[in-house]
Structures are given as C-alpha cells and as structure tokens.
Amino acid sequence: MTIISGRTWTYGDNVNTDVIFPGKYTYTLTERAEIARHALEDLDPTFAAVVQPGDVIVAGRNWGCGSSREQAATCLVFNGVGAVVAASFSRIFYRNALNNGLLAIVCPAAVAAIAPQETITIDLARNEIVCKGGVFAFPPLSASVLGIVEAGGLVPYVKRKVAATS
Amino acid sequence: MSATEGHPQTFAQKALARSAGLPSVAIGQVVDARPDVVLSHDNSAAIRRIWQEFGQSRVLIPDKIAMTLDHAVPAPTTKHAQNHAEIRAFVAEQGIANFFEVGRGICHQVLSEEAVVLPGQVILGADSHTPHFGWMGAFGAGIGRSEVAVLWATGELWLRVPESMQIVLDGSLPPGVSAKDFALRVIGDLGADGGLYASVEFGGSGIAAMSLASRMVLPNMMAEFGVKNAYIAPDATTLAYISERLVRRTTRQGAPLAAEDARTLVAAGALYPDAGATYAAVHRYDAAALEPLIACPHSVDAVVPVAQVAGTRVQQAFLGTCTNGRLEDLAEAAAIVRGRRIAAGTRFLVIPASSEVLADALRLGYIADFVDAGAVIGVPGCGPCMGNHMGIPAPNEVTISSANRNFRGRMGTRDADIYLANPAVVAASAIAGKIIDPRHLDAKSVVSTSQAVDPYSVINHQ
Ligand code: SF4
C-alpha cells in the first residue's frame, strides 16, 4: 500500500500512552475488538466509535511517551488507522508502531499545516504528505524498517527469517 | 592500538559495539544487538503468545531471560491470576532460572538486588523504565512486547546507536533535597522530550557523593525525559555491591562463584566513556542551588517548587515504586511520620520496592512507624503506580506520589490529580493532609503515645 488517504485526528504535544491505552487494561484485554474499543479513551472518548479505516492521527512532539505498552500502537492498528504523523515520537512508541506495521512519519512542517478533520493523502512512493495547506516531504524510512512495515510488522518479518533458518 | 583509540567512544557506543560483536560503532549506526538480559514481567504471557507464532518449542536464550511478577500482585482478579499462571507454566516449561515470584518486588529493583544484570551489559526490557540499570553502568533500554518475543526466538534485535548527552551535577545536595529533585529539575528545565532518543551520561561530584539507592532514581526517571538509556559510571561501591550480590545469587542457584572471581568478572565487564567522546549537549547543575520540587498534573515536566502548591489537599499519599521505594526512601519517610498521625481524610500507602526492602524496614522499625501513624502497608511490587492494582483514587481526588509518572489516568482514574515528589515531601503531606515542604511541618503534629488518637476513629468521625 503506497497511498494512504483519510481524515485527520489532530492532537497536541506529549500525548502519553496512558491516555492512548490505559494501563488498567494491559494484562486483561486480549481480543482485538476489545483493545480497539479503548483506543484514546482518556484523550478523546469519541475516537474509537467514529474513526474510519485509513484515518490519520496527526500529533505534536513526543507522541506516545510513557509506557512501553504495545497496545498503544496496536489499538490504533486494530481501528484501521492508516498512519501517525507527528513532529516527533517517543522512541518506544515509534518502534512499536513500525513493528506492528503502522506507519509512523516524522514531519513537523506537515503537522503545523494540517487542520482537524481534513482529508489528507500520504504517498509512500514519493515520501510526500498532501493536505490543504500544501505538499510536505518527509524523510524516507530505511530499507530494513520499510521491510518490517511491508511484511506487516516485526513478527511476520522475523517469522520468515526463522522459518528460513530452521 | 585499540580499535577505539583516536576515535573516542561514548558509553553507548562501547556497550552496543560489544553487544553487536563489533570493535567499534558510529553514532547513528543501526546494529544487531545481542543483549545479555531480556526482561519482562506480568506481560510475559502476552509475549509468550506472540513468541508461539514462531513455532519454536524452546526459546533460544533461556539463560538470558529474566522475569518478575510485580505489576498486579497478588492477583486482584481471576483474569490476572490466569495471566500469572500462564507465566509460571512457561517458566517451568522453558527452565527460566531468573524468575521472581509475586511478592519479591519490582523488576528493576529485584534484578539489581540479585545482580542479574552486571555493569557494562545490555539489558532490553518490555518495560519503559529499563533505563534504570544505568545506575550500575549497564545499558538498559525499553522495547515492546513483539521485540521481546523476537529476542526469545532469535537473541538479537536492531538498535540505533544513540547520540549522548552529558548531565553534570557539581557539589552536594542540601539537606532535604534528593536525587528525585535533581531529576525533576532536569526534566522541568529541558522538557519531557528533552532527552528524546539520547543516551544520558551522568557525571560530577554530586553523583559520586550519592548512595547507590539515590543513584538508582536518576536513570529510572530519565524514562520521563524520553531517553533510550542513561548511565552512571560504576565506582568501587557499585562494583563491590554487585559482586557481593552475584556471589549470593549464584550460591542460591547452586553454582556459587567465589568472591574473588565475582569481583574480577564484574570489574572486567564495566565500561567507561573515553575522554573526548562526542556529546550532543552538556548540561551542568549546581547541587547547592537545588530545592524540593514537585511535578504537577498531568505532566512530569510541569515542575514547580513544592512551596508553590503547598496547601493543596491530598486524599492519598503513595510511597513506593521503582523510583523511590527503597530502604533510604522508607527511612526518610519513617523519620517524618514517627510519633505523628496521618491527617484525617488522607490515606498513606507504603509499598516497599522489594521483599528485601520490606524485611530491612521491618528490622529497623520503619514499618512499625508507618503502621503506628495509620499508614497502609502493601505487598512489594508496583502497587497503584499504574492503576492496575488497588490504591486507585476516586474521581476528583488528589494523590501525592513518589512515583515517576503523573499522566492523566495513570493510577486508574481519569479525573484524578497526581503530584510527584520526593519521599520526604510525600510523607510530610500525608501527615499534614495537604502538600507541604517537610521543613515546614508543624512540630505540634507530633503526638505522644499517650495522646495518640486511633486513626480509624478519626476517619469514622469524618
Ligand atoms: S513501579 Fe511503576 S514505573 Fe516502576 S516498573 Fe512498576 S509500574 Fe513501572
């Protein structure tokens, strides 16, 4: 999938994993639908009910700071979120996103230009974000990381390697 | 000539080079690291389910896996109990020696006490506070559950060699000011993302003067600064502590290491940055200028002097966690509550970071001090830190806590405020029923045993 197109959900700086996916659920919720239902529960209670596949989260600096919980990324994946575009990411969220096949794109200029609930397009082949405010280039992902995303995440990616060597 | 001569290396470069089996690495290089220790806790059952997708019957690295049950202990619900049971079955099936049961304590504290991690080693953990192990000069970084599953299966994971930042503390801390206040000062000044992706190396006479327990606070709190890892150079005290603990653990596990051999092994593994290594930034602090600080809701970088929010009513005070649940923290708090009563309308929860801390605190009479004052003692573990296990605040309540995180909903309730401070401020606030600088605690709030009021009757008369 090289083109992602969807509506934007815009949030501010330092959005932490406790409001993306509350810690009280981390050891007990295991079903995809259940995990999806609690996405952004303490940040934007309307999100999970309204989000559509392909929608894009647009955030300020340090999106996903806090816990290492992977559900902060998977709760978005299970809702069909197409990508997260941020001014910067917390490092564990960034890894968790890519490792689950969720595009995490660093592009502060686009973040500054994008309005809430507008429809934007992300072109992975050209490394460009197209929104009402203009066209913004973002740094390409490294080949190995792109390989992980294209495989659908780290586990399917490594599965192939493990199968090949055993 | 060694490979690093002429190219001075940071601690992070040295640790990741060793872990990747390379003579040296450049900043920004992506390496396949082979960590010495892979940490997980109550999340191990979920990790096991991911690992099973690889179709292996045995994990590749049973001896490198370390696990604790600490996040919701003892199990509060059937689901949590099933989760623990699944983990125990996995531990038995895979022969995981470094497994620590419910009640032993918080992963970072226990693995430190047990010398499961050694100076210079790389530990990757499915826990965001894994930078903790920097207190002993190890490279600790948090990773996700899928990544831990991949490590169990393959023993290796890609890591980018981070830029390093130096934070220097000169001089010694004034009385009543602790490592926690220093950490809050740094995060307050530079922001919750001030250390994003970086390796933070602490240095200076102020760090060298700190107890090991105080040093543990700093790399631990750096998780709230966005870092990949943090580092304090291991000194003679660190090496002696770890060597002694290594002897103790290996003896218990039936393969005792002689004291001399343990000392040699531990010292040989320690890593120190080269003079002239590259730092993206250097920040210097004067210890004498620091004061008791507090992080206000709902962000760890919303830091102000305690005096600025003094008088704010607190319904709950919580002393514990991997940040500030050690013996010296309990000692400081016990000295404040001794002979006093917790304020009516305020609950004080004390949760030692480990069973060892609990045992020492019992022996030294601190637990009696807390109980006499009306405090609640919890099972060693994370307690209410992340809203998974009791001590959950009601909506609109205020908690003052010695933990590391005050995000909205962190303790399980969205509309509840969390303030973060050092253990003395937490204990004094429990006594006053409101946020207070311990130096301003009224001498009158000390009650003699004869006048002592039953704390329960006070609460009932509310
Ligand atoms: S005490 Fe809190 S911060 Fe530390 S490991 Fe437990 S939940 Fe995490």
PDB file of all heavy atoms in Angstrom, chain B residues 71 106 108 127 129 321-322 382 385-386 404 410, ligand 1:
ATOM      1  N   HIS B  71       3.567  -6.373  38.615  1.00  0.00           N
ATOM      2  CA  HIS B  71       2.705  -5.246  38.245  1.00  0.00           C
ATOM      3  C   HIS B  71       1.312  -5.302  38.868  1.00  0.00           C
ATOM      4  O   HIS B  71       0.709  -4.260  39.106  1.00  0.00           O
ATOM      5  CB  HIS B  71       2.631  -5.110  36.723  1.00  0.00           C
ATOM      6  CG  HIS B  71       3.737  -4.260  36.177  1.00  0.00           C
ATOM      7  ND1 HIS B  71       5.055  -4.549  36.396  1.00  0.00           N
ATOM      8  CD2 HIS B  71       3.717  -3.110  35.461  1.00  0.00           C
ATOM      9  CE1 HIS B  71       5.797  -3.615  35.816  1.00  0.00           C
ATOM     10  NE2 HIS B  71       5.010  -2.734  35.246  1.00  0.00           N
ATOM     11  N   ILE B 106       9.668  -5.284  42.597  1.00  0.00           N
ATOM     12  CA  ILE B 106       9.590  -4.674  41.267  1.00  0.00           C
ATOM     13  C   ILE B 106      10.801  -5.100  40.432  1.00  0.00           C
ATOM     14  O   ILE B 106      11.937  -5.098  40.926  1.00  0.00           O
ATOM     15  CB  ILE B 106       9.556  -3.140  41.368  1.00  0.00           C
ATOM     16  CG1 ILE B 106       8.423  -2.684  42.301  1.00  0.00           C
ATOM     17  CG2 ILE B 106       9.399  -2.499  39.994  1.00  0.00           C
ATOM     18  CD1 ILE B 106       8.519  -1.235  42.733  1.00  0.00           C
ATOM     19  N   HIS B 108      12.903  -3.904  38.274  1.00  0.00           N
ATOM     20  CA  HIS B 108      14.175  -3.160  38.225  1.00  0.00           C
ATOM     21  C   HIS B 108      14.930  -3.251  39.554  1.00  0.00           C
ATOM     22  O   HIS B 108      16.154  -3.335  39.578  1.00  0.00           O
ATOM     23  CB  HIS B 108      13.913  -1.699  37.860  1.00  0.00           C
ATOM     24  CG  HIS B 108      13.053  -1.569  36.643  1.00  0.00           C
ATOM     25  ND1 HIS B 108      13.424  -2.113  35.433  1.00  0.00           N
ATOM     26  CD2 HIS B 108      11.833  -1.017  36.450  1.00  0.00           C
ATOM     27  CE1 HIS B 108      12.463  -1.876  34.549  1.00  0.00           C
ATOM     28  NE2 HIS B 108      11.476  -1.220  35.139  1.00  0.00           N
ATOM     29  N   ASP B 127       9.586  -2.951  29.361  1.00  0.00           N
ATOM     30  CA  ASP B 127       9.181  -2.034  30.421  1.00  0.00           C
ATOM     31  C   ASP B 127       9.922  -0.726  30.178  1.00  0.00           C
ATOM     32  O   ASP B 127      11.145  -0.731  30.005  1.00  0.00           O
ATOM     33  CB  ASP B 127       9.540  -2.584  31.806  1.00  0.00           C
ATOM     34  CG  ASP B 127       8.927  -1.710  32.879  1.00  0.00           C
ATOM     35  OD1 ASP B 127       9.511  -0.648  33.185  1.00  0.00           O
ATOM     36  OD2 ASP B 127       7.847  -2.057  33.382  1.00  0.00           O
ATOM     37  N   HIS B 129      10.827   1.612  31.980  1.00  0.00           N
ATOM     38  CA  HIS B 129      11.840   2.087  32.934  1.00  0.00           C
ATOM     39  C   HIS B 129      13.111   1.247  32.948  1.00  0.00           C
ATOM     40  O   HIS B 129      13.924   1.338  33.875  1.00  0.00           O
ATOM     41  CB  HIS B 129      11.237   2.251  34.336  1.00  0.00           C
ATOM     42  CG  HIS B 129      10.293   3.412  34.377  1.00  0.00           C
ATOM     43  ND1 HIS B 129       8.944   3.265  34.168  1.00  0.00           N
ATOM     44  CD2 HIS B 129      10.514   4.740  34.499  1.00  0.00           C
ATOM     45  CE1 HIS B 129       8.370   4.464  34.189  1.00  0.00           C
ATOM     46  NE2 HIS B 129       9.303   5.369  34.389  1.00  0.00           N
ATOM     47  N   THR B 321       7.354   2.396  44.539  1.00  0.00           N
ATOM     48  CA  THR B 321       7.756   2.264  43.123  1.00  0.00           C
ATOM     49  C   THR B 321       9.259   2.057  42.922  1.00  0.00           C
ATOM     50  O   THR B 321      10.060   2.207  43.849  1.00  0.00           O
ATOM     51  CB  THR B 321       7.322   3.455  42.211  1.00  0.00           C
ATOM     52  OG1 THR B 321       8.214   4.547  42.402  1.00  0.00           O
ATOM     53  CG2 THR B 321       5.893   3.863  42.448  1.00  0.00           C
ATOM     54  N   CYS B 322       9.595   1.733  41.671  1.00  0.00           N
ATOM     55  CA  CYS B 322      10.993   1.511  41.308  1.00  0.00           C
ATOM     56  C   CYS B 322      11.795   2.799  41.407  1.00  0.00           C
ATOM     57  O   CYS B 322      13.020   2.766  41.423  1.00  0.00           O
ATOM     58  CB  CYS B 322      11.095   0.918  39.907  1.00  0.00           C
ATOM     59  SG  CYS B 322      10.262   1.870  38.629  1.00  0.00           S
ATOM     60  N   CYS B 382       4.619  -3.121  42.201  1.00  0.00           N
ATOM     61  CA  CYS B 382       4.349  -1.800  41.634  1.00  0.00           C
ATOM     62  C   CYS B 382       3.220  -1.080  42.361  1.00  0.00           C
ATOM     63  O   CYS B 382       3.118   0.138  42.283  1.00  0.00           O
ATOM     64  CB  CYS B 382       4.003  -1.936  40.157  1.00  0.00           C
ATOM     65  SG  CYS B 382       5.350  -2.667  39.210  1.00  0.00           S
ATOM     66  N   CYS B 385       0.949   2.203  41.197  1.00  0.00           N
ATOM     67  CA  CYS B 385       1.699   3.073  40.284  1.00  0.00           C
ATOM     68  C   CYS B 385       1.024   3.235  38.933  1.00  0.00           C
ATOM     69  O   CYS B 385       0.940   4.326  38.401  1.00  0.00           O
ATOM     70  CB  CYS B 385       3.109   2.531  40.094  1.00  0.00           C
ATOM     71  SG  CYS B 385       4.107   3.508  38.974  1.00  0.00           S
ATOM     72  N   MET B 386       0.546   2.127  38.365  1.00  0.00           N
ATOM     73  CA  MET B 386      -0.025   2.244  37.019  1.00  0.00           C
ATOM     74  C   MET B 386      -1.489   1.806  36.957  1.00  0.00           C
ATOM     75  O   MET B 386      -1.980   1.389  35.907  1.00  0.00           O
ATOM     76  CB  MET B 386       0.833   1.509  35.983  1.00  0.00           C
ATOM     77  CG  MET B 386       1.238   0.116  36.328  1.00  0.00           C
ATOM     78  SD  MET B 386       0.257  -1.156  35.523  1.00  0.00           S
ATOM     79  CE  MET B 386       0.747  -0.911  33.811  1.00  0.00           C
ATOM     80  N   ASN B 404       7.084   7.949  39.264  1.00  0.00           N
ATOM     81  CA  ASN B 404       7.765   8.659  38.182  1.00  0.00           C
ATOM     82  C   ASN B 404       6.831   9.238  37.140  1.00  0.00           C
ATOM     83  O   ASN B 404       7.265   9.900  36.219  1.00  0.00           O
ATOM     84  CB  ASN B 404       8.740   7.691  37.494  1.00  0.00           C
ATOM     85  CG  ASN B 404       8.094   6.336  37.257  1.00  0.00           C
ATOM     86  OD1 ASN B 404       6.934   6.243  36.875  1.00  0.00           O
ATOM     87  ND2 ASN B 404       8.842   5.275  37.505  1.00  0.00           N
ATOM     88  N   ARG B 410      -3.187   7.653  34.911  1.00  0.00           N
ATOM     89  CA  ARG B 410      -2.085   6.737  35.216  1.00  0.00           C
ATOM     90  C   ARG B 410      -2.430   5.785  36.363  1.00  0.00           C
ATOM     91  O   ARG B 410      -2.085   4.618  36.342  1.00  0.00           O
ATOM     92  CB  ARG B 410      -0.838   7.557  35.591  1.00  0.00           C
ATOM     93  CG  ARG B 410       0.322   6.752  36.170  1.00  0.00           C
ATOM     94  CD  ARG B 410       0.949   5.860  35.126  1.00  0.00           C
ATOM     95  NE  ARG B 410       2.085   5.125  35.662  1.00  0.00           N
ATOM     96  CZ  ARG B 410       2.768   4.222  34.978  1.00  0.00           C
ATOM     97  NH1 ARG B 410       2.444   3.944  33.730  1.00  0.00           N
ATOM     98  NH2 ARG B 410       3.767   3.587  35.511  1.00  0.00           N
TER      99      ARG B 410
HETATM  100  S1  SF4 C   1       6.783   0.705  39.887  1.00  0.00           S
HETATM  101 FE1  SF4 C   1       5.624   1.804  38.331  1.00  0.00          FE
HETATM  102  S2  SF4 C   1       7.133   2.624  36.935  1.00  0.00           S
HETATM  103 FE2  SF4 C   1       8.171   1.055  38.170  1.00  0.00          FE
HETATM  104  S3  SF4 C   1       8.038  -0.818  36.945  1.00  0.00           S
HETATM  105 FE3  SF4 C   1       6.262  -0.770  38.308  1.00  0.00          FE
HETATM  106  S4  SF4 C   1       4.590   0.191  37.133  1.00  0.00           S
HETATM  107 FE4  SF4 C   1       6.540   0.651  36.095  1.00  0.00          FE
END
